[in-house]
Amino acid sequence: FFVCGVIEKVLFYLTRVNTMEKKLAEYKCDTNEAICLKLVRFPEDIEDDGTTFHPEYSHQIFGDDEVAFGYKGLQIQLFYSAGNLSTLFKVKYSSKVTETFDCVEPDDVEGKIREIVPAGFTCNTDDFISLLEKDANFKPFGTLLHTYTVHNEEAGELTYQIHKADITCPGFQEYHERLQTFLMWFIETASFIDADDDRWDFFLVFEKYNKDGETLYATVGYMTVYNYYVYPDKTRPRVSQMLILPPFQGEGHGAQLLEAVHRFYCSLPKVQDITAEDPSENYVKLRDYVLVKLCQGLPSFAADKLHLGFSADMIKEAQDKLKINKKHARRVYEILRLRATDMSDEEKAREYRLEVKKRLFGPYRKNQRELAKMRKCLRPEELVSHMGQMDTQTQHEELEKSYQVVVEDYRRIIERLASQA
Ligand SMILES: CC(C)(COP(=O)(O)OP(=O)(O)OC[C@H]1O[C@@H](n2cnc3c(N)ncnc32)[C@H](O)[C@@H]1OP(=O)(O)O)[C@@H](O)C(=O)NCCC(=O)NCCS
């Protein structure tokens, strides 16, 4: 009886724990879904779900699981006026766990968001609508670098402007603090910068739009660039962060921004070359496209020179005329050579493949050298004879895979160039 009683109690306890766990699981929310972002032009946009977009990442604020605990139906609204980015911040939910009933505390969602959203936001919709009206007075910061148009199926021809700003522009510091909150949601390893340092340059993209017969400006995206010093009298601008806000992505603004920034630095004699900090795959693709566009007219990259290989002339011309370093110029050469190669001709295709693999093989060769050094330290009986072969085989497979990925990316760039021609 005693044993049966204990088992019964344990079972009862386990069932309770299980029920409790199930109940609490209902109070977990995916923060990438719960966070609702919006760029508001008209008061009607506030209630229009069609203009809402969500983060790609929220792990920097809510941890690796990207989950907030303690709420059912959680909605974290961060709505921004389209130009000045005046902010409406609200946290909504249908129910919340309580310490008294559920013996657990909900996450401090509001506190976590307050850590990244600068002061000056409102939690009241009417106040936000008043701030929205003030967007009519909002003008882009800094100096105008470039204007371009994009054809939109619904709206027709839309005009965009790229401006260069710095921290001395009145009101820019506060605007930048609001703008950079978006980085947390769309760049995996984003961090905020110390904008006070006067070596930062800011490049901003704006769309001109019409509201009640007036021209207003909406924020589209931006880029931050840090001017590093190069001995003795040069600078090396390094792109730090680039973001085109999601409603505007895939429309060509990223390419326009990067090209305008590149052209701007090319015009400055003190600039050595232009680099990027820890570039993402998407950024590299965009940069390849822009650099090929800029280099394709240079004599050293002419079609009849490409099959002779990557030359010193190419390195010099890309560096002198466009401030492109050797590594980037090499990729440009490979893309242009692919475009000029008849890949249905087996011999030509083989030559091209070997040329690209020669570059890709660099890191593998280093690996092999390290392996050889390790072997010297091992006793003969410790050497597994087929190990070397296995490594070479694996390395060949890896190399082939890398080559296929590279060529696939190059082909997309060539298609994009053709569609823009
Ligand atoms: C990476 C990023 C800056 C690119 O900006 P973007 O404005 O979307 O770039 P573009 O529109 O010029 O090009 C993106 C794609 O849209 C395509 N595109 C451009 N205009 C297009 C058009 N009119 N119709 C169809 N497709 C178009 C391009 O071909 C390109 O395709 P690909 O990715 O297959 O090469 C942007 O997506 C972004 O901010 N992402 C999040 C943050 C990030 O990753 N930043 C970079 C590292 S810091």
Side-chain angles (χ1 to χ4, degrees), residues 336-375:
L336 287 174
R337 181 162 170 175
L338 178 64
R339 188 169 72 171
T341 302
D342 174 5
M343 293 298 274
S344 64
D345 179 325
E346 258 181 49
E347 187 47 35
K348 289 197 173 109
R350 190 176 154 274
E351 273 175 22
Y352 181 77
R353 202 170 54 240
L354 289 179
E355 180 70 349
V356 175
K357 283 190 176 178
K358 204 165 69 187
R359 172 177 66 80
L360 295 174
F361 196 61
Y364 292 102
R365 212 165 20 213
K366 192 167 162 239
N367 255 356
Q368 272 190 331
R369 276 201 302 271
E370 272 162 17
L371 209 74
K373 266 192 228 157
M374 266 171 58
R375 283 206 183 102

Side-chain angles (χ1 to χ4, degrees), residues 56-57 150-151 183 186-188 220 222 239-246 248-257 277-286 289-290 409 412-413 415-416 419-420:
E56 267 174 49
Y57 310 103
V150 170
H151 182 77
L183 296 179
F186 299 103
I187 296 182
E188 197 173 358
V220 170
Y222 82 120
V239 175
S240 173
Q241 282 147 338
M242 177 178 189
L243 176 68
I244 298 296
L245 293 165
F248 303 95
Q249 285 174 9
E251 294 178 355
H253 302 294
Q256 288 281 357
L257 177 58
E277 180 187 330
D278 193 13
S280 70
E281 246 175 68
N282 280 344
Y283 179 83
V284 171
K285 277 197 265 177
L286 199 64
Y289 165 72
V290 170
D409 285 346
R412 235 174 298 147
I413 289 167
E415 274 167 30
R416 188 172 179 187
S419 73
Q420 304 290 310

Side-chain angles (χ1 to χ4, degrees), residues 70-308:
Y71 307 85
K72 257 189 205 177
L74 179 66
Q75 220 189 67
I76 303 164
Q77 295 182 336
L78 278 168
F79 295 175
Y80 295 81
S81 68
N84 189 44
L85 305 178
S86 303
T87 315
L88 173 68
F89 168 40
K90 279 188 187 180
V91 176
K92 294 178 168 179
Y93 46 84
S94 50
S95 62
K96 180 171 152 181
V97 291
T98 62
E99 236 181 307
T100 357
F101 285 106
D102 311 292
C103 308
V104 278
E105 259 186 84
D107 287 343
D108 178 15
V109 167
E110 202 172 315
K112 284 178 198 242
I113 297 284
R114 276 174 188 269
E115 279 174 27
I116 62 154
V117 176
F121 60 81
T122 175
C123 298
N124 178 292
T125 306
D126 290 337
D127 290 347
F128 179 69
I129 290 173
S130 304
L131 291 169
L132 187 60
E133 281 162 15
K134 292 194 184 140
D135 250 26
N137 306 322
F138 173 78
K139 295 281 172 286
F141 298 95
T143 48
L144 176 65
L145 278 191
H146 176 54
T147 302
Y148 61 96
T149 56
V150 170
H151 182 77
N152 181 287
E153 299 240 313
E154 285 162 29
E157 204 87 314
L158 296 173
T159 303
Y160 296 86
Q161 292 187 341
I162 297 177
H163 286 242
K164 178 181 174 289
D166 60 57
I167 210 68
T168 60
C169 299
F172 178 70
Q173 182 151 11
E174 295 76 15
Y175 165 85
H176 173 255
E177 280 173 14
R178 297 190 288 277
L179 178 57
Q180 72 174 349
T181 57
F182 284 99
L183 296 179
M184 285 296 154
W185 314 129
F186 299 103
I187 296 182
E188 197 173 358
T189 55
S191 54
F192 291 166
I193 63 169
D194 171 17
D196 271 342
D197 188 332
D198 62 6
R199 285 180 169 266
W200 283 111
D201 285 336
F202 301 86
F203 299 89
L204 306 154
V205 188
F206 296 98
E207 180 186 306
K208 278 172 127 181
Y209 71 100
N210 192 294
K211 186 178 180 184
D212 306 328
E214 280 186 75
T215 299
L216 269 68
Y217 294 85
T219 302
V220 170
Y222 82 120
M223 183 193 276
T224 53
V225 182
Y226 193 80
N227 289 290
Y228 278 91
Y229 165 73
V230 179
Y231 180 82
D233 58 356
K234 297 268 184 193
T235 64
R236 173 170 283 142
R238 191 160 85 172
V239 175
S240 173
Q241 282 147 338
M242 177 178 189
L243 176 68
I244 298 296
L245 293 165
F248 303 95
Q249 285 174 9
E251 294 178 355
H253 302 294
Q256 288 281 357
L257 177 58
L258 196 53
E259 185 174 339
V261 169
H262 213 93
R263 286 188 190 280
F264 169 76
Y265 287 119
C266 280
S267 70
L268 304 182
K270 64 172 183 173
V271 169
Q272 171 94 18
D273 57 16
I274 302 148
T275 60
E277 180 187 330
D278 193 13
S280 70
E281 246 175 68
N282 280 344
Y283 179 83
V284 171
K285 277 197 265 177
L286 199 64
R287 179 176 64 196
D288 281 344
Y289 165 72
V290 170
L291 298 190
V292 169
K293 213 172 147 222
L294 294 171
C295 285
Q296 60 186 348
L298 298 180
S300 62
F301 288 89
D304 59 327
K305 307 257 174 59
L306 293 166
H307 72 280
L308 300 172

